[in-house]
């Protein structure tokens, strides 16, 4: 009886979370689109202030809520009972606890993400917004005196965020189920996250927001040459995703060891990156949505796009420019796929679609979510190839992930969560 009571309560609360996060995604997505549009048209006048914007962002976090600077790793830590109420992560915790997201966490995530992307930092949008969704789930659990369901509602909030911002409800649902525990899903969360994701998707569209979608044809002859080409391309996607995760983690470690003055470092890094971005015509500013659009709408790309976006994203994120990795990873994957199409003779759009989600699957150490995101972004015609690319890329990675907390989850904590 208690099991069904929990399911009903969580499902009703998940519907409310989905409505709040989905409506916010609709408005926030349009604001981000407007910010990137203004910046792309006037990048020469806006991007030079990237370093100053970084300093301003750090100032906001330090003087309002320092723990709020953390992204999805903090959400994983709260979900797994490893974070204290002040946002500190304790790796020695043996007994699961319920932490609390800082009160200013949600608004700070949205404001900082808008600032970073407006001034041209090479970061994403989903990391901050998924963390926002997790905090909304946690806030609602506290407001409704439902703290015992905090884990379920936190995960539901992540599902709503990804679903609403990318309008990929199945992808959002499975990402929320996968990202905390590599290779494992807690199936008792399926119904609340399903309800939350689809509610967010509905409210996001209701607000007039339209996410990227491009139907890709799979008109390809599966002869020996093409099969080998598909496998080789998928292996390359996996290796690049793995390299991204390792490089980002190493860059974070180096930053923590060497950087003494964060304000000076982010100002210098932001200013140098601003100069490079301007010299390159603003092409690599922001999420990379402009590059993805160019590939699928016009078939245009540069052979070095994936390498430059890879390097610039690592530098910006490790320097403290927050936002997320998903959109840059999708961009890296799409441009790498376009390059592989040129090398192997595979259809451009199909290879780009495969790379788009396969690099993401490898770098985040998730499998089912990228497959569904790929299908929801590129249509069912490409489903078989998208799935195959994700499976091979995921297997190529092994254990590395851009979410460092993902690798610290113990079987003991998982057993508690799955009860």
């Amino acid at each position: 009886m208690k099991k069904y009571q929990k399911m009903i309560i969580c499902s009703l609360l998940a519907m409310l979370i989905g409505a709040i996060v989905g409506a916010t995604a609709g408005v926030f997505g349009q604001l981000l689109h407007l910010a990137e549009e203004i910046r792309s048209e006037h990048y020469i006048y806006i991007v030079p202030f990237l370093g100053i914007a970084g300093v301003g962002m750090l100032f906001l976090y330090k003087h309002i809520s320092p723990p709020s600077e953390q992204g999805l790793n903090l959400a994983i830590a709260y979900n797994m009972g490893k974070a204290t109420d002040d946002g500190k992560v304790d790796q020695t915790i043996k007994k699961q606890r319920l932490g609390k997201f800082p009160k200013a966490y949600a608004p700070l995530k949205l404001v900082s993400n808008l600032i970073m992307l407006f001034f041209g930092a090479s970061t994403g949008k989903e990391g901050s917004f998924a963390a926002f969704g997790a905090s909304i789930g946690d806030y609602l659990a506290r407001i409704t005196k439902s703290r015992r369901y905090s884990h379920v509602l936190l995960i539901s909030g992540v599902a709503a965020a990804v679903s609403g911002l990318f309008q990929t409800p199945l992808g959002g649902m499975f990402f929320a189920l996968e990202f905390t525990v590599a290779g494992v899903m807690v199936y008792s969360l399926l119904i609340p996250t399903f309800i939350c994701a689809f509610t967010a998707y509905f409210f996001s569209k209701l607000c007039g927001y339209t996410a990227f979608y491009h139907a890709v044809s799979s008109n390809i002859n599966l002869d020996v040459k093409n099969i080998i080409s598909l496998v080789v391309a998928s292996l390359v996607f996996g290796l690049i995703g793995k390299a991204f995760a390792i490089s980002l983690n190493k860059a974070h470690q180096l930053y923590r060891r060497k950087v003494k003055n964060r304000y000076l470092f982010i100002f210098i890094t932001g200013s140098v990156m601003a100069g490079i971005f301007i010299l390159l015509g603003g092409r690599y500013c922001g999420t990379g949505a402009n590059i993805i659009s160019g590939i699928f709408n016009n078939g245009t790309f540069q052979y070095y796009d994936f390498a430059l976006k890879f390097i610039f994203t690592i530098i910006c994120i490790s320097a403290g420019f927050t936002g997320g990795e998903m959109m840059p990873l999708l961009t890296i994957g799409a441009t790498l796929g376009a390059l592989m199409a040129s090398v192997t003779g595979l259809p451009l759009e199909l290879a780009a679609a495969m790379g788009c989600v396969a690099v993401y699957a490898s770098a985040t150490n998730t499998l089912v979510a990228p497959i569904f995101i790929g299908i929801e972004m590129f249509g069912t015609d490409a489903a078989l190839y998208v799935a195959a690319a994700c499976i091979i890329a995921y297997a190529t990675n092994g254990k590395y992930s851009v979410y460092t907390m993902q690798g610290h989850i113990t079987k003991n904590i998982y057993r508690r969560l799955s009860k």
Side-chain angles (χ1 to χ4, degrees):
M1 189 67 184
K2 287 184 178 179
K3 181 179 178 181
Y4 293 109
Q5 181 183 5
K6 176 182 177 181
M7 186 69 68
I8 292 169
I9 293 173
C10 287
S11 296
L12 291 172
L13 291 174
M15 195 176 298
L16 180 56
I17 293 169
I20 295 170
V21 176
T24 307
V27 175
F28 185 64
Q30 292 180 78
L31 285 174
L32 282 177
H33 179 74
L34 179 62
E36 294 220 68
E37 197 173 68
I38 294 171
R39 188 203 63 238
S40 64
E41 291 178 3
H42 308 284
Y43 70 92
I44 292 178
Y45 307 105
I46 296 173
V47 176
F49 296 97
L50 179 59
I52 296 173
V55 171
M57 182 197 68
L58 285 184
F59 182 85
L60 283 176
Y61 278 122
K62 183 176 180 180
H63 292 276
I64 297 177
S65 177
S68 296
E69 190 177 347
Q70 301 174 78
L72 275 179
N73 274 321
L74 182 60
I76 295 174
Y78 277 120
N79 183 48
M80 305 314 293
K82 289 191 171 189
T84 59
D85 286 350
D86 61 359
K88 293 180 180 178
V89 178
D90 187 350
Q91 300 287 359
T92 64
I93 292 175
K94 294 182 179 179
K95 186 177 179 181
Q96 191 176 348
R97 72 169 97 202
L98 293 174
K100 294 179 182 179
F101 275 87
K103 291 181 179 179
Y105 192 86
L108 275 175
K109 281 295 160 194
L110 299 186
V111 170
S112 66
N113 204 183
L114 273 171
I115 291 172
M116 293 304 93
L117 291 178
F118 179 71
F119 287 98
S122 181
T123 62
K125 58 184 179 180
E126 83 303 323
S128 292
F129 199 72
F132 163 83
S135 66
I136 293 299
D138 179 73
Y139 294 159
L140 193 61
R142 279 187 268 162
I143 292 169
T144 59
K145 309 296 183 183
S146 304
R147 292 287 288 148
R148 73 184 78 172
Y149 309 128
S150 182
H151 297 300
V152 180
L153 301 181
L154 184 151
I155 291 297
S156 297
V158 174
V162 177
S163 172
L165 202 56
F166 290 91
Q167 296 185 339
T168 55
L170 291 173
M173 178 184 76
F174 282 107
F175 175 76
L177 294 172
E178 280 189 291
F179 86 105
T180 58
V181 187
V184 174
M185 285 190 203
V186 183
Y187 288 100
S188 61
L189 301 177
L190 268 175
I191 292 178
T193 52
F194 175 84
I195 292 171
C196 200
F198 274 87
T199 303
Y201 170 75
F202 172 78
F203 275 89
S204 174
K205 292 186 81 69
L206 192 66
C207 290
Y209 174 60
T210 304
F212 174 84
Y213 173 80
H214 184 90
V216 172
S217 172
S218 62
N219 186 18
I220 179 175
N221 182 25
L222 283 178
D223 54 25
V224 175
K225 176 184 177 296
N226 281 335
I227 290 174
I228 292 174
S229 296
L230 289 167
V231 172
V232 170
S234 299
L235 288 170
V236 172
F237 299 149
L239 290 172
I240 293 299
K242 179 178 181 178
F244 185 92
I246 293 172
S247 300
L248 184 60
N249 292 337
K250 293 290 185 184
H252 278 312
Q253 291 169 13
L254 187 65
Y255 175 85
R256 286 193 291 269
R257 288 200 311 267
K258 300 294 184 180
V259 175
K260 304 301 180 184
N261 189 324
R262 296 186 65 202
Y263 288 103
L264 181 62
F265 185 78
I266 201 169
F267 174 75
I268 293 173
T269 304
S271 299
V272 171
M273 291 307 301
I276 295 172
F277 289 151
I278 290 171
L279 285 174
L280 295 173
R283 180 173 176 80
Y284 302 101
C285 292
T287 61
N290 57 311
I291 300 175
I292 293 177
S293 178
I295 292 173
F296 288 102
N297 293 331
N298 307 313
T300 58
F301 71 99
Q302 302 295 331
Y303 293 126
Y304 47 79
D305 276 341
F306 88 93
L308 292 184
K309 192 63 178 175
F310 183 111
I311 294 167
F312 296 156
T313 302
I314 294 291
I315 293 172
C316 285
I317 293 178
S318 60
F321 293 99
T322 58
E325 302 86 5
M326 181 175 175
M327 273 303 295
L329 282 169
L330 294 181
T331 304
I332 293 165
T335 51
L336 180 60
L339 176 60
M340 292 305 296
S342 299
V343 173
T344 63
L346 291 171
L348 174 65
E349 288 191 355
L350 181 61
M354 289 167 56
C356 199
V357 288
V359 170
Y360 173 66
S362 174
T364 60
N365 207 17
T366 58
L367 176 60
V368 182
I371 292 174
F372 277 105
I373 288 172
I375 293 170
E376 289 173 312
M377 285 178 66
F378 302 111
T380 55
D381 220 25
L384 175 63
Y385 303 97
V386 162
C390 287
I391 291 168
I392 294 171
Y394 175 80
T396 302
N397 179 352
K399 63 178 181 179
Y400 299 98
S401 174
V402 293
Y403 308 125
T404 51
M405 281 300 298
Q406 189 184 61
H408 297 291
I409 295 165
T410 65
K411 291 181 180 179
N412 185 44
I413 296 177
Y414 166 67
R415 282 197 295 270
R416 291 173 185 163
L417 273 181
S418 61
K419 290 180 181 179

